[in-house]
């Protein structure tokens, strides 16, 4: 399926931060990264749904990852970005503190879900090691599942 | 052959839908005029085609049923059976069965288990009744061998004597004969080239196209059999033909056309000059009409002439349900390329050249407006797609009720948004039923008052500004206000005192109240409690309105107005706190400034009393959980917007009005599809998003 990404056993991830922790999303799932824009709040929705915005004429829901993961809220800064990810036919934006870079991670350097992370293991596909960095790799599908 | 046909299922479904629609129309025509040979041929052709395609696709029950149908029709064509109402009724049952098969295929992928034995028995009984006519060409394919999937591949004989007669005997109009005569004067040859495709040929129309191209290389095609349109729609079995004027000889075409793939054989007849009518060769006893003008052959029955149903059966109409006119796509393409040109121009403009800048901006504005129009047009579908099932339904209804009815339709080409088209069918058929049941007098009564015993129902569609108007009119008794009055008092809809002060219009409005029926006796059709109120709710749900015009003794007219499209609506934009919301204008009844003291507390609920009506108040700020004072400094709770849903009114308290504007409705997407109070979203001029309130759930 994702042959486009896998090269010499390495997969590419968009790395970003939430607070002090670093996360990664499989680059194949990422549609586009945008700066913060005005988001319209939608009543009667869970708190982690910030609202909706206009992405090139389409209405897209925006998820606040901090709220979704139960982390402390933070003000938007100049570095705040929205990463739009696609799962099946749905495109959803997730708000992150800062996008750092695209990182290739060797699949041998990815270990299973440990219990050392601050967020619920259901959202994690694995933990990648890159140099001295620890990057929590997210499972986009479960994050976008509405419950 | 080990071919996988699954990819052809969609094609089969589309085609069969069209075929069954034409069959329905043709059967109606046949019932009115049993001697209309072209229509009979059409029915036969469809039965045959469906038999073949269904068989190829492996839908054996469908294929078997059409096979027996074909036998009966064959007997009719050979004058061994007479078309009478009984036969047409059975053929209608066949049609219903075929439709059921098709629906099963659409929903479940297979045709289902029902063999419709009773229908097939009825057909078989008909065959037993037939009197042997000259020869017995009908019997040979007979009752043995149920046709399997290979049947259509294996033989095409049934077709030879039927449809293909038309192909083989080129019946020429006087004009065409004139061209031929002229060609001879110029020492050219005129050939009637009959091409037979192999049984395995799947894309027949494409193949025919290639053949025509080859013919045109060295000649001029003056006529094709069947018509070009029918060939495109694969409205032929394995044979088709062309009349070609050329300077080449017979052998040339034999080789040229004969060498094309999937062409089984080529027969070339040489056509002679001067022989106009008498030469129209034998087989075309009635077919002659199809080739010539057709008017003289099938004289339309008295009183039918207006709707032209007689002629329509001969020429299958092409439905464009799911297809987009290529022209419209071309227009889109052109607009997009213009857009790109303007964008490039914009990039090249010097920073301080405002003239150029404004010019480009103006062109951009024009292009985007055009683009918008063009895209909307792509979504538009002719209302014919809904109308064309009515003649059959009206026939059944009029029989059930025992009234003679003629349905006269016009404006079928009027276009509406696809979403509206999908929703409008049921309300319309309900109104038509209503007109037949309640509008038209019983047949005896019509005679008494000096009216034509055949009641007329007019169904018209036309565009009027940004609306499409659909009218359902009858020439019946008109609405009896006195009767409605008596009924409404009797039913307790209004008190007798209140009734005294009511206007005619107000009484007519009562018709649209739930469970109001003026019919003296309850029929199986209307008067079941599902009344005009349902129709009205549905139409209003589509952003439309219903009106009634009536004259006692002359008839009634129901006028439905629908917006051209649901994707663009007029909306009122309001502020609730710092947030902007859109309320569809079609749901708003009044907008007033909210005065202190307007709101009263009744049983702890905020309401407003207006002309004795209690209107519940809904403060949107609270209901929509709008945060306090965030970026908003205007007046609070300044305006009351009254919205109407079916017959109830609610008052929405908002802070401030922004204004009315046209908005494009966008869905919220799957993730947020079930959010209460919100029907969708729209993108405002500044690129931000405003939510559209769902008046139905916000109460």
């Amino acid at each position: 399926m994702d042959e486009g990404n896998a090269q010499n056993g390495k997969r590419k991830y968009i790395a970003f931060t939430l607070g002090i922790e670093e996360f990664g999303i499989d680059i194949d799932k990422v549609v586009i990264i945008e700066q913060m824009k005005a988001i319209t709040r939608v009543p009667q929705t869970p708190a982690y749904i910030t609202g909706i915005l206009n992405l090139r004429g389409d209405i897209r829901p925006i998820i606040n990852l901090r709220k979704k993961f139960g982390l402390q809220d933070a003000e938007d800064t100049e570095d705040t970005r929205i990463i739009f990810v696609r799962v099946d036919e749905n495109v959803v934006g997730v708000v992150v503190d800062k996008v750092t870079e695209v990182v290739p991670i060797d699949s041998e350097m990815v270990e299973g879900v440990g219990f050392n992370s601050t967020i619920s293991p259901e959202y994690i596909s694995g933990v990648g090691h890159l140099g001295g960095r620890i990057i929590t790799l997210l499972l986009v599908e479960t994050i976008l599942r509405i419950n | 052959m080990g071919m996988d046909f699954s990819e052809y299922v969609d094609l089969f479904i589309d085609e069969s839908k069209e075929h069954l629609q034409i069959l329905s129309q043709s059967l109606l025509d046949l019932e009115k005029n049993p001697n209309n040979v072209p229509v009979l041929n059409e029915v036969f052709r469809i039965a045959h085609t469906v038999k073949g395609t269904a068989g190829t696709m492996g839908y054996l029950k469908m294929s078997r049923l059409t096979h027996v149908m074909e036998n009966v029709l064959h007997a009719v064509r050979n004058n061994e059976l007479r078309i009478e109402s009984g036969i047409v009724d059975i053929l209608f049952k066949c049609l219903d069965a075929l439709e059921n098969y098709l629906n099963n295929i659409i929903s479940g992928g297979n045709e289902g288990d029902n063999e419709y034995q009773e229908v097939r028995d009825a057909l078989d009984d008909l065959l037993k009744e037939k009197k042997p006519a000259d020869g017995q060409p009908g019997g040979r394919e007979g009752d043995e061998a149920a046709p399997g999937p290979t049947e259509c591949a294996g033989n095409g004989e049934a077709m030879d004597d039927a449809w293909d007669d038309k192909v083989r005997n080129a019946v020429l109009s006087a004009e065409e004969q004139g061209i031929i005569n002229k060609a001879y004067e110029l020492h050219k040859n005129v050939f009637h080239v009959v091409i037979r495709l192999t049984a395995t040929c799947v894309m027949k129309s494409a193949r025919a196209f290639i053949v025509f191209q080859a013919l045109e290389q060295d000649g001029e095609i003056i006529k094709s059999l069947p018509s070009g349109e029918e060939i495109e729609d694969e409205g032929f079995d394995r044979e088709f033909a062309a009349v070609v004027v050329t300077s080449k000889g017979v052998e040339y075409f034999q080789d040229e056309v004969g060498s094309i793939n999937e062409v089984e054989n080529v027969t070339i007849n040489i056509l002679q000059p001067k022989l106009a009518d008498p030469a129209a060769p034998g087989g075309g006893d009635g077919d002659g009409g199809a080739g010539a003008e057709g008017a003289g052959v099938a004289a339309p029955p008295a009183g039918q002439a207006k709707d032209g149903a007689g002629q329509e059966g001969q020429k299958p109409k092409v439905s464009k349900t799911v297809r987009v006119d290529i022209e419209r796509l071309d227009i889109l393409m052109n607009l997009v390329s213009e857009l790109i040109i303007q964008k490039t121009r914009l990039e090249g403009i010097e920073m301080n050249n405002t003239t150029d800048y404004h010019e480009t901006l103006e062109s951009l504005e024009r292009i985007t407006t055009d683009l918008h129009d063009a895209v909307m047009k792509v979504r538009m579908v002719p209302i014919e797609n809904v109308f064309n099932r009515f003649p059959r339904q009206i026939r059944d209804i009029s029989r059930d009720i025992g009234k003679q009815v003629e349905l006269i339709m016009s404006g079928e080409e009027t276009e509406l948004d696809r979403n509206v088209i999908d929703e409008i069918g049921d309300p319309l058929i309900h109104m038509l039923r209503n007109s037949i049941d309640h509008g038209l007098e019983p047949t005896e009564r019509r005679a008494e008052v000096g009216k034509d015993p055949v009641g007329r129902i007019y169904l018209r569609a036309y565009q009027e500004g940004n609306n499409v108007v659909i009218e359902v009119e009858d020439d019946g008794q008109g609405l009896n206000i006195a009767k409605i009055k008596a009924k409404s008092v009797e039913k307790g809809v209004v008190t007798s005192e209140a009734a005294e002060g009511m206007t005619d219009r107000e009484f007519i409005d009562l018709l649209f109240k739930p469970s109001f029926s003026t019919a003296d006796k309850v029929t199986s059709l209307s008067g079941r409690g599902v009344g005009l109120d349902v129709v009205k709710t549905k139409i209003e749900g589509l952003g439309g309105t219903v009106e009634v015009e009536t004259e006692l003794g002359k008839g009634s007219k129901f006028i439905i107005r629908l917006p051209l499209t649901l994707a663009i609506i007029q909306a009122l934009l309001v502020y609730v706190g710092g947030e902007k919301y859109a309320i569809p204008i079609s749901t708003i009844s009044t907008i007033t400034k909210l005065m202190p003291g307007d709101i009263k507390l009744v049983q702890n609920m905020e309401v407003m009393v207006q002309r004795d009506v209690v209107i519940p108040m809904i403060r949107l700020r609270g209901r929509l959980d709008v945060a306090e004072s965030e970026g908003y400094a205007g007046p609070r709770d300044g305006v009351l917007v009254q919205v109407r849903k079916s017959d109830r009114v609610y008052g929405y308290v908002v802070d401030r009005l922004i204004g009315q504007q046209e908005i494009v409705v966008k869905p919220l997407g799957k993730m947020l599809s079930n959010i209460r109070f919100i029907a969708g979203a729209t993108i405002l001029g500044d690129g931000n998003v405003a939510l559209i309130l769902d008046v139905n759930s916000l109460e």
Side-chain angles (χ1 to χ4, degrees):
Chain A
M1 278 294 216
D2 299 327
E3 305 98 346
N5 189 356
Q7 261 179 357
N8 313 328
K10 288 186 176 175
R11 297 187 72 80
K12 286 183 183 160
Y13 294 84
I14 299 279
F16 61 89
T17 58
L18 284 178
I20 51 162
E21 231 180 301
E22 198 167 10
F23 297 88
I25 293 178
D26 189 331
I27 201 168
D28 279 351
K29 307 266 192 244
V30 175
V31 179
I32 194 166
I33 300 170
E34 293 270 322
Q35 297 206 343
M36 201 58 190
K37 296 202 271 184
I39 295 173
T40 303
R41 184 190 69 92
V42 183
Q44 308 279 322
T45 49
Y48 64 84
I49 293 182
T50 314
I52 52 179
L53 62 67
N54 161 23
L55 180 70
R56 316 234 161 110
D58 284 318
I59 305 288
R60 303 297 187 198
I62 305 299
I63 286 180
N64 183 329
L65 273 192
R66 281 178 172 270
K67 283 213 173 85
K68 179 83 182 173
F69 293 159
L71 305 173
Q72 207 175 12
D73 251 356
E75 290 282 309
D76 292 344
T77 70
E78 264 190 12
D79 289 330
T80 306
R81 292 289 181 277
I82 307 172
I83 304 176
F84 287 91
V85 294
R86 181 192 298 277
V87 171
D88 300 326
E89 288 309 299
N90 305 311
V91 174
V92 176
V94 295
V95 179
V96 304
D97 287 359
K98 181 182 181 177
V99 173
T100 40
E101 60 183 325
V102 177
V103 290
I105 299 180
D106 202 319
S107 57
E108 287 177 13
M109 298 305 286
V110 176
E111 53 176 351
V113 183
F115 292 94
N116 50 357
S117 175
T118 44
I119 67 173
S120 167
E122 62 177 314
Y123 300 132
I124 302 172
S125 68
V127 177
H129 295 267
L130 189 75
R133 287 153 75 185
I134 293 171
I135 300 175
T136 307
L137 306 177
L138 295 179
L139 202 55
V140 179
E141 286 80 355
T142 52
I143 293 170
L144 300 196
R145 198 176 297 146
I146 200 161
N147 37 14
Chain B
M1 70 198 117
M3 233 174 124
D4 178 16
F5 281 103
S6 57
E7 60 182 298
Y8 294 107
V9 170
D10 287 344
L11 195 65
F12 170 79
I13 289 171
D14 277 356
E15 269 185 18
S16 304
K17 269 188 190 162
E18 269 175 40
H19 284 139
L20 296 186
Q21 177 51 46
I22 299 166
L23 184 61
S24 169
Q25 182 61 48
S26 302
L27 286 177
L28 284 171
D29 292 346
L30 204 58
E31 188 172 46
K32 287 180 193 156
N33 185 1
N35 299 320
N36 193 335
V37 177
V39 174
L40 179 60
N41 286 340
E42 184 69 22
V43 173
F44 185 88
R45 184 183 73 77
I46 292 167
H48 182 82
T49 311
V50 173
K51 179 181 89 167
T53 51
T56 314
M57 299 298 297
Y59 301 127
L60 301 186
K61 295 187 190 75
M62 233 175 142
S63 179
R64 279 196 286 267
L65 180 63
T66 37
H67 178 72
V68 195
M69 264 176 92
E70 202 184 343
N71 287 343
V72 168
L73 290 163
H74 190 87
V76 173
R77 284 158 52 98
N78 284 359
N79 290 324
E80 296 164 340
L81 275 176
R82 283 174 52 82
I83 281 279
E84 49 204 9
S85 192
I87 293 193
V88 178
D89 275 344
I90 293 168
L91 290 174
F92 267 123
K93 280 186 187 142
C94 293
L95 172 64
D96 292 340
L98 291 174
E99 275 173 349
N100 285 338
Y101 281 141
L102 190 62
N103 287 335
N104 288 343
I105 291 167
I106 293 169
S107 55
N110 69 60
E111 55 183 342
D113 300 324
N114 199 333
E115 287 277 357
Y116 292 99
Q117 197 55 49
E118 68 290 352
V119 180
R120 283 170 57 188
D121 288 346
L123 288 169
D124 285 336
D125 288 345
L126 286 175
L127 283 173
K128 279 175 205 148
E129 283 168 25
K130 75 178 180 188
K131 60 176 170 51
D134 39 329
Q136 76 286 44
R140 77 187 163 0
E141 219 190 344
D143 314 312
E144 338 93 68
T150 50
E151 203 271 345
C152 106
N155 81 46
E157 276 115 1
M159 218 49 192
D160 291 354
D161 45 13
W163 170 248
D164 287 357
D165 272 359
K166 247 190 195 166
V167 170
R168 290 192 177 168
N169 302 318
V171 179
L172 298 167
S173 69
E175 196 188 327
E176 286 157 355
Q177 190 62 49
I179 297 174
I180 293 173
N181 294 347
K182 194 91 184 173
Y184 272 92
E185 281 169 30
L186 296 169
H187 302 288
K188 295 207 172 189
N189 294 322
V190 184
F191 297 139
H192 173 220
V193 187
V194 183
I195 297 100
R196 184 179 176 84
L197 298 175
T198 58
T200 50
C201 179
V202 179
M203 295 175 71
K204 291 184 293 185
S205 64
R207 192 55 66 192
F209 179 66
I210 293 170
V211 170
F212 280 155
Q213 263 192 329
L215 289 173
E216 251 164 347
Q217 248 174 15
D218 293 285
E220 193 192 337
I221 297 177
I222 61 169
K223 185 185 180 70
S224 79
L225 299 158
S227 73
E229 203 182 12
E230 282 176 83
I231 287 184
E232 233 170 75
D233 289 329
E234 303 212 343
F236 62 102
D237 189 41
R238 286 167 59 189
E239 287 194 0
F240 61 96
V243 177
V244 191
V245 176
T246 176
S247 45
K248 300 273 182 186
V250 173
E251 322 74 47
Y252 176 82
F253 282 106
Q254 276 290 4
D255 294 344
E256 201 70 0
V257 178
S259 63
I260 294 173
N261 253 342
E262 292 185 297
V263 170
E264 193 173 273
N265 77 53
V266 183
T267 318
I268 297 180
N269 308 315
I270 299 167
L271 292 182
Q272 298 301 328
K274 280 267 162 51
L275 308 163
D277 277 348
D285 39 0
D287 291 8
E293 247 36 79
V297 179
Q304 307 288 0
K306 256 187 225 150
D307 62 355
Q311 281 101 305
E312 244 163 50
Q314 298 171 13
K315 201 174 172 194
K317 267 206 181 151
V318 187
S319 150
K320 294 211 163 60
T321 333
V322 283
R323 299 167 205 163
V324 174
D325 197 331
I326 195 98
E327 222 170 85
R328 289 185 173 172
L329 287 181
D330 287 346
I331 292 172
L332 268 180
M333 281 291 288
N334 287 340
L335 284 169
V336 170
S337 47
E338 268 190 72
L339 202 57
I340 293 167
I341 292 168
Q342 295 301 335
K343 180 195 152 240
T344 317
R345 193 174 155 199
L346 205 54
E347 283 168 349
I349 290 177
E350 305 270 331
M351 270 312 197
N352 45 11
N353 190 342
T354 47
T355 326
D356 271 12
Y357 175 75
H358 283 293
E359 245 174 53
T360 315
L361 215 56
E362 267 168 41
S363 337
L364 274 178
E365 196 178 306
R366 180 183 56 79
I367 295 165
T368 43
T369 311
D370 289 354
L371 202 55
H372 180 195
D373 282 356
V375 173
M376 286 335 286
K377 286 219 176 84
V378 170
R379 297 175 52 93
M380 302 295 263
V381 179
I383 202 165
E384 185 184 5
N385 286 295
V386 182
F387 277 16
N388 59 17
R389 62 180 151 116
F390 291 154
R392 165 72 200 281
Q393 284 172 314
I394 295 302
R395 168 193 179 272
D396 291 353
I397 292 168
S398 62
R399 285 187 154 210
D400 281 356
I401 300 182
K403 289 180 185 172
Q404 285 173 279
V405 179
E406 185 188 353
L407 176 69
I408 297 151
M409 303 195 293
S410 65
E412 293 98 322
E413 70 289 344
T414 312
E415 294 190 323
L416 264 171
D417 190 275
R418 189 157 298 160
N419 295 341
V420 182
I421 288 279
D422 292 342
E423 299 291 322
I424 196 68
D426 288 344
L428 277 183
I429 193 68
H430 195 93
M431 300 192 83
L432 289 167
R433 276 173 178 167
N434 189 67
S435 291
I436 298 173
D437 208 8
H438 304 316
L440 297 179
E441 307 90 338
T443 309
E444 324 78 72
R445 172 91 187 119
R446 285 182 71 88
E448 280 167 32
V449 296
K451 283 185 181 174
D452 186 335
V454 179
R456 293 208 163 73
I457 306 277
Y458 297 87
L459 180 62
R460 304 187 192 92
Y462 54 91
Q463 193 175 335
E464 191 186 79
N466 265 335
N467 287 313
V468 164
V469 182
I470 304 173
E471 295 178 354
V472 179
E473 185 180 354
D474 63 70
D475 67 344
Q477 53 204 351
L479 293 175
N480 189 335
I481 304 289
K483 205 163 153 187
I484 297 174
K485 190 173 172 179
K487 201 91 177 179
S488 51
V489 172
E490 181 198 314
K491 288 200 165 190
V493 182
V494 290
T495 62
S496 50
E497 299 87 64
E500 288 312 314
M502 279 169 69
T503 63
D504 287 3
R505 183 118 318 262
E506 284 171 321
F507 278 116
I508 291 174
D509 284 344
L510 287 181
L511 289 180
F512 294 100
K513 297 279 181 212
S515 305
F516 191 94
S517 173
T518 53
D520 294 329
K521 69 174 185 239
V522 172
T523 68
S524 66
L525 297 159
S526 21
R528 276 182 302 190
V530 220
L532 289 170
D533 61 312
V534 178
V535 171
K536 194 178 185 204
T537 311
K538 188 95 188 187
I539 304 275
E540 285 176 348
L542 294 170
T545 58
V546 192
E547 265 176 66
V548 192
E549 283 174 11
T550 183
E551 192 177 338
L552 198 59
K554 291 267 174 66
S556 311
K557 178 151 80 172
F558 288 80
I559 304 160
I560 301 169
R561 282 200 170 72
L562 288 163
L564 267 184
T565 168
L566 289 181
I568 297 183
I569 59 169
Q570 286 287 336
L572 179 73
L573 286 176
V574 298
Y575 265 119
V576 180
E579 299 179 357
K580 290 175 186 173
Y581 287 92
I583 308 172
I585 287 284
S586 57
T587 63
I588 298 176
S589 57
T590 58
I591 304 168
T592 47
K593 212 168 162 183
L594 192 64
M595 293 301 181
D598 275 356
I599 297 180
K600 302 203 161 48
L601 268 183
V602 174
Q603 291 172 348
N604 251 345
M605 295 242 304
E606 286 190 312
V607 299
M608 183 170 148
V609 182
Q610 199 176 47
R611 278 178 247 125
D612 294 340
V613 181
V614 178
I615 302 170
M617 291 286 115
I618 296 158
R619 290 181 189 265
L620 292 189
R621 194 186 268 264
R623 190 62 63 93
L624 301 172
D625 313 312
V626 177
E628 277 300 321
S629 75
E630 213 175 289
Y632 179 77
R636 271 188 75 120
D637 294 348
V639 184
L640 178 71
V641 179
Q642 290 186 21
V643 299
R644 187 198 300 273
K645 37 183 291 189
S646 58
D647 59 335
R648 303 186 65 186
V649 176
Y650 292 85
Y652 290 174
V653 180
V654 305
D655 291 333
R656 188 154 62 95
L657 298 183
I658 300 169
Q660 179 179 344
Q661 75 180 60
E662 210 167 56
I663 60 169
V664 180
V665 180
K666 303 257 179 189
L668 287 182
K670 205 171 162 193
M671 197 173 182
L672 297 177
S673 57
N674 289 321
I675 304 299
R676 281 178 72 209
F677 306 160
I678 305 298
T682 189
I683 297 169
L684 301 173
D686 58 4
N688 288 340
V689 178
L691 296 170
I692 303 167
L693 295 180
D694 177 20
V695 173
N696 278 318
S697 65
L698 192 53
E699 56 178 44

